[in-house]
Structure formats: C-alpha cells, structure tokens
Amino acid sequence: MTVLITGATGFLGSRIAHELLLTRNQQVIALGRGGLADLRDRVVTAIGLHGAVPGDALLRLRCVTGDVTLPRLGLTPALHARLAGQVDSVWHCAADIALGGERERLFRVNTQGTAHVLAFMDQTGPACRLVHVSTMAVAGSRPDGLVLEDDLTDVHGFATHYAASKYAAEQLVRQWAARRARPAVVLRPSLVASDRPLPDSAAEHPLAQLGNMVKVLVEGGAPGLPPAADRPPGTEMRMRIKASPSATFNIVPSDYATEAMVRIGHDAPCRDTGVRTYHIVHPTPTELADVLRAFERLYTGLRLECVEEFDGASVTELFIARYLTGFLSYCWFRHRFDRTHALADTPGLPEPAPVDARFLQRALGFDVLPASSPG
Ligand SMILES: NC(=O)c1ccc[n+]([C@@H]2O[C@H](COP(=O)([O-])OP(=O)(O)OC[C@H]3O[C@@H](n4cnc5c(N)ncnc54)[C@H](OP(=O)(O)O)[C@@H]3O)[C@@H](O)[C@H]2O)c1
C-alpha cells in the first residue's frame, strides 16, 4: 500500500509518517517544500527522532517536492497524474498552525491547501482514502457544553484565523465527499503535547512554544519588567492576564494521539462514502489554572492572575496580552469533546497518560522540577 503524506517534517506529521513507515510497513511518499535532497534530509531527520529508521524502511520512503498552496500541489501535470494513480491513501497533515497568524496566510495554507489536496484526490482511484488532519479548534468560541464529532458550525465565531481557516477546510472536505460520493476521515486532535525533551532540530508543539515564550519574557525581560539578571532574587512579578479563571484546555499526549490517529486513519476499515470525524482528545480536560501554576512553580516570585476585565493594565500586562494573543484567545472556554467515534474505532487502545503537574512541567519545556515542587 502506498501513502502520500503532506507535513511529514512537522511535529505531528513526522510521528504519523514514522508509524506508517515502520509499524505499518507502508510505502510512504512525503510531499513537502524545498529542494529534493534537503527535503529528504529533513523528513528522514524528523521521522528518525521517533525511533531508528532502518535501511529497508528508508527504501520505502520517497520524497516529492511540492507546496500545498500551489495549484496541482506544485507538481507537474504528469507527476500529479502519476502520483494520483499510485496512492492508496492521502494523509493531509500540512498546515500553518500559527495561532496568532495573519488571516490571508492561514487561509492560503490551510484552506486553499486543502482545496489543492482535494483536487489531487479527484485524480485518484475511487478506493483511495483521504485522511484530513483538522483540529479541535474548529469547535470555535462555543463557551461550554459537549462538542459532538459530527458538529461543524460557525455560529459561535472563531477565536483565531487559524481556527476559522481549519473550519473552512473541513467544510471543503465535507462538500467534496458529498459531491464525489467519496469517503473521508477527519481527525480533530486537541493540543498535542510531548513530555519528552525535544532536540533543537525537532518541530515544536504548541505547549513547548508557549513555555519558550514565557521563558523569554521572564528571563529576558519585557517593557516594564527588567531581565532576570537585573532583578534582585525573589522579586515578586505579579501579572494579570486577560482570561477566564475557569477556562479549560484539552491537552492530549502525542504517543496516544499518534497511535489513535493511525489506528483510525489506517487500520480501521474504510467506509464506502461520507465523512467520519473523530475527536483525538484527552478524556479529562486540563484547567488553565494548572498551566499557570506550572509557570509559577518554575519562576520564583511569579504570580499570574486571570481577570476578565482589564482595568488599568500595566505596560507589562499589555505587552503580554499582545505577545501571547494566540494562546490567550483560547483561555475563555469550558467546552468538552465527545469521543464516541474515536473510542469505537480504537478498541483496546489504552487511555492517554494523565496530564498532571509533572507532564505539564515537562511539556512546557522545563525538564526538571524544583526539588520542593509537588509532582
Ligand atoms: N500540534 C498540535 O498540537 C495540533 C493540534 C491540533 C491539530 N493539529 C493539526 O495537525 C497538523 C500537523 O500539525 P503539526 O503540529 O505537525 O504542525 P507543524 O509542526 O507546524 O508542521 C507543519 C507541517 O506543514 C508543512 N507545511 C507548511 N506549509 C506548507 C506548504 N505550503 N506546503 C507543504 N507543506 C507545508 C510544514 O513543512 P515545512 O517543514 O516545510 O515547514 C510541516 O511539515 C496540522 O493540520 C494542524 O492543524 C496540530
């Protein structure tokens, strides 16, 4: 079986490509940007971070230079047609995941990019399966309640252009499947995180990015906040952030998310027609307060308080509000995610590890807890 995958150099795409290549023994074609030799190096390095890639697996890996923002995925008409005739499934993982990114770019990569993948699907045989990687963020700014896997609505609006662009992409997938009477699998992971240290060359996950941003802020300083080296030890840094104190996130460990996605997108039998959507989420949401406590435990003197109204914000607080716009835009909700489809198609898969204080601390990029900290 031959799988074409986009986004194989990314945090999630590289994990999926690793599983497809090594545990499912597939022929994998990785479509990505850049010159061929450089692309192959980046794909092999990214996949290799998840376990050794033996020579026979490397022989089953092929790379193709392309760009999802371009018509025909940037392929020549001949290569586009040839690849479409070869593949048994297409995993579309490539995306721009910048939460605070600009609208035009996010729609170009995430929505238009999906349209180009669907045009590729049009050229494939009827049995070729599409696995589209979406996100829980398509639930939008729904304040609370249970989001079902079949739900797809824009009535609540979207906190970020990222969420809106991925919603629009899912709509395209549904329209395509209905128009062509073809099946498609849509996977909606929540915030995927790893509690293992990542080498500098690895693609980061959003929690690690958040940890780095706060580190830069607290250690390097910000308007109104001197760098750590210029502050007397133990200086209190009391800051308010504009967020709901009762907000929750869904954070799902990458090991579980990858295995669930591959079992659903690859191992489970393909339905004849129609879109089947799956929430790849943790059964227990994480409180925003627990994420903030993780930062406070690391930085002595740091006190973070959530406020819904921002009266008389200090220059530092205003800076943080701008600097962390993407993250803070998700700090208002308490919605939860139904897992009926995901549980039905992953029988026997153990539940994900708990996202506890230790997991959070490591996922945020702080490998070692201070000795006095609770686990
Ligand atoms: N990480 C999460 O927590 C999370 C949560 C929910 C959903 N998701 C979804 O999961 C998927 C994978 O995310 P990720 O975390 O792996 O993202 P990532 O680490 O940022 O990787 C993005 C991938 O997309 C590729 N890409 C970007 N623009 C492209 C273009 N124009 N043409 C071809 N390839 C392009 C990148 O290639 P380069 O190496 O060339 O940049 C990279 O391989 C995305 O669809 C995302 O929306 C992720």
Side-chain angles (χ1 to χ4, degrees):
M1 299 268 283
T2 302
V3 182
L4 182 131
I5 183 167
T6 66
T9 55
F11 174 75
L12 209 44
S14 62
R15 286 170 164 76
I16 290 166
H18 181 269
E19 290 309 299
L20 292 172
L21 195 61
L22 282 127
T23 62
R24 270 62 173 190
N25 297 320
Q26 300 299 292
Q27 306 278 342
V28 172
I29 302 174
L31 181 141
R33 295 180 292 187
L36 199 51
D38 173 59
L39 173 65
R40 189 169 173 93
D41 271 359
R42 291 195 302 126
V43 171
V44 170
T45 304
I47 292 177
L49 292 173
H50 315 305
V53 188
D56 67 309
L58 287 177
L59 291 176
R60 281 185 279 106
L61 172 68
R62 200 177 136 199
C63 293
V64 180
T65 291
D67 184 327
V68 298
T69 64
L70 299 175
R72 289 191 314 271
L73 302 171
L75 306 170
T76 63
L79 184 54
H80 191 263
R82 198 161 66 243
L83 288 178
Q86 282 171 6
V87 299
D88 302 291
S89 67
V90 172
W91 280 72
H92 179 36
C93 302
D96 185 331
I97 65 164
L99 292 184
E102 60 171 83
R103 185 176 193 286
E104 195 275 330
R105 201 183 78 193
L106 287 160
F107 272 78
R108 184 158 34 86
V109 180
N110 299 343
T111 316
Q112 192 63 37
T114 299
H116 292 141
V117 169
L118 294 172
F120 178 83
M121 287 301 301
D122 277 341
Q123 306 300 311
T124 61
C128 178
R129 181 198 301 215
L130 172 65
V131 183
H132 172 74
V133 181
S134 183
T135 162
M136 63 157 184
V138 301
S141 302
R142 176 181 176 154
D144 48 28
L146 185 66
V147 184
L148 301 179
E149 288 158 304
D150 289 332
D151 288 350
L152 186 62
T153 172
D154 57 0
V155 296
H156 304 288
F158 298 99
T160 60
H161 298 311
Y162 168 70
S165 69
K166 296 288 287 188
Y167 162 81
E170 263 202 47
Q171 286 287 10
L172 292 182
V173 172
R174 286 194 179 193
Q175 289 157 11
W176 171 82
R179 202 169 53 241
R180 302 281 190 242
R182 295 275 299 265
V185 168
V186 172
L187 303 170
R188 287 184 191 152
S190 59
L191 228 159
V192 186
S194 165
D195 63 347
R196 284 194 289 277
L198 300 170
D200 288 346
S201 60
E204 276 186 335
H205 55 86
L207 267 193
Q209 280 166 359
L210 175 67
N212 274 339
M213 289 171 89
V214 173
K215 182 176 180 188
V216 167
L217 198 72
V218 176
E219 294 183 3
L225 177 71
D230 299 345
R231 293 193 302 262
T235 303
E236 181 157 286
M237 295 172 283
R238 189 172 284 277
M239 290 171 210
R240 295 172 307 163
I241 60 169
K242 200 168 176 214
S244 165
S246 60
T248 56
F249 297 103
N250 197 293
I251 297 173
V252 64
S254 56
D255 293 349
Y256 168 84
T258 307
E259 182 59 23
M261 291 169 81
V262 173
R263 286 192 190 197
I264 293 166
H266 181 268
D267 303 349
C270 192
R271 287 176 167 72
D272 289 342
T273 58
V275 173
R276 179 105 162 151
T277 304
Y278 299 82
H279 285 160
I280 310 295
V281 299
H282 202 286
T284 312
T286 302
E287 301 286 332
L288 168 61
D290 291 339
V291 178
L292 301 184
R293 292 302 82 81
F295 285 117
E296 290 179 349
R297 278 210 301 278
L298 189 79
Y299 297 111
T300 313
L302 181 65
R303 291 288 167 271
L304 295 166
E305 184 196 351
C306 296
V307 290
E308 300 203 6
E309 288 308 321
F310 220 20
D311 295 331
S314 71
V315 60
T316 313
E317 289 168 341
L318 287 175
F319 178 81
I320 292 172
R322 268 202 313 278
Y323 183 66
L324 298 181
T325 317
F327 166 70
L328 292 174
S329 60
Y330 286 102
C331 297
W332 294 95
F333 316 129
R334 273 194 81 78
H335 51 229
R336 290 165 297 111
F337 296 92
D338 183 47
R339 307 166 74 210
T340 303
H341 295 169
L343 289 175
D345 280 2
T346 55
L349 178 64
E351 287 289 53
V355 176
D356 54 14
R358 190 167 292 276
F359 182 97
L360 276 178
Q361 200 88 17
R362 291 193 170 136
L364 287 163
F366 316 138
D367 304 351
V368 186
L369 279 175
S372 60
S373 301

